[in-house]
């Protein structure tokens, strides 16, 4: 008995060919992606760091970067301090962004410029360390096992 192909058979065969072609093309494109890792060095300015914190930070350098509770491929290599004067400090409430408090400062403060080195995929359009993008002028949180500070990226060198 000879079976003839009907329209449903041809549609099923066509779908199988299209799906196989789609996955074949995706696999071929993914195998062509070249990942090139390289090292970047960037500096981050953190303003008005209390002197007591500066001494503690110095004890832990160099220090591995963290992101989302895990170590990432970057290291805080060094820090340089410069004098600064602080007239007032504005603190934000972490549970309500609309609430801020102005505090009269006590003690001495320093501006700190941290140098950080990290291995990144140079082929990516955006350079990221952990889940933070690295670009000059962008806000950045320096987070290690021993300290966490917020600052601004000053320079990026690939």
């Amino acid at each position: 008995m000879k079976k003839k192909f009907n329209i449903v058979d041809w549609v099923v065969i066509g779908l199988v060919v299209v799906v196989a072609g789609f996955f074949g093309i995706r696999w071929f494109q993914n195998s062509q992606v070249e990942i090139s890792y390289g090292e970047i060095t960037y500096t981050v300015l953190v303003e008005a760091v209390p002197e007591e914190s500066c001494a503690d930070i110095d004890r832990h350098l160099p220090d591995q970067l963290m992101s989302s509770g895990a170590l990432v491929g970057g290291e805080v290599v060094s820090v340089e301090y410069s004098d600064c004067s602080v007239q007032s400090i504005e603190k934000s409430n972490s549970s309500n962004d609309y609430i801020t408090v102005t505090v009269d400062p006590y003690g001495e403060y320093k501006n700190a410029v941290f140098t950080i080195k990290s291995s990144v995929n140079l082929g990516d359009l955006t350079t990221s360390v952990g889940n933070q993008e690295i670009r000059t002028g962008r806000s950045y949180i320096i987070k290690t096992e021993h300290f966490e500070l917020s600052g601004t990226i000053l320079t990026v060198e690939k």
Side-chain angles (χ1 to χ4, degrees), residues 14-152:
L15 281 173
V16 169
V17 169
V18 168
V19 169
F22 173 77
F23 284 111
I25 289 171
R26 297 258 337 238
W27 178 78
F28 182 72
Q29 286 176 342
N30 286 342
S31 67
Q32 297 291 323
V33 174
E34 184 177 317
I35 298 176
S36 62
Y37 284 96
E39 187 172 270
I40 63 167
T41 302
Y42 54 103
T43 58
V44 179
L45 169 65
V46 178
E47 297 178 299
V49 178
E51 271 195 351
E52 309 91 57
S53 296
C54 295
D56 190 56
I57 290 167
D58 287 339
R59 287 186 316 116
H60 293 103
L61 291 184
D63 205 359
Q64 183 83 30
L65 291 175
M66 292 180 67
S67 179
S68 303
L71 297 176
V72 295
E75 183 177 58
V76 180
V77 178
S78 64
V79 61
E80 293 180 18
Y81 300 104
S82 60
D83 292 331
C84 73
S85 62
V86 177
Q87 274 68 42
S88 66
I89 299 173
E90 189 174 283
K91 299 258 183 186
S92 297
N93 185 320
S94 61
S95 61
N96 186 341
D97 291 336
Y98 296 106
I99 298 174
T100 57
V101 177
T102 302
V103 179
D104 288 331
Y106 68 91
E108 296 295 319
Y109 293 84
K110 301 279 187 184
N111 286 339
V113 177
F114 291 86
T115 300
I116 303 170
K117 291 189 178 193
S118 183
S119 177
V120 297
N121 181 356
L122 298 175
D124 284 348
L125 181 60
T126 59
T127 303
S128 297
V129 174
N131 58 2
Q132 296 187 87
E133 289 184 33
I134 308 301
R135 270 189 255 155
T136 301
R138 189 170 174 93
S139 296
Y140 185 80
I141 300 171
I142 303 170
K143 184 176 182 181
T144 72
E145 182 181 354
H146 301 101
F147 60 90
E148 181 172 343
L149 300 165
S150 296
T152 304

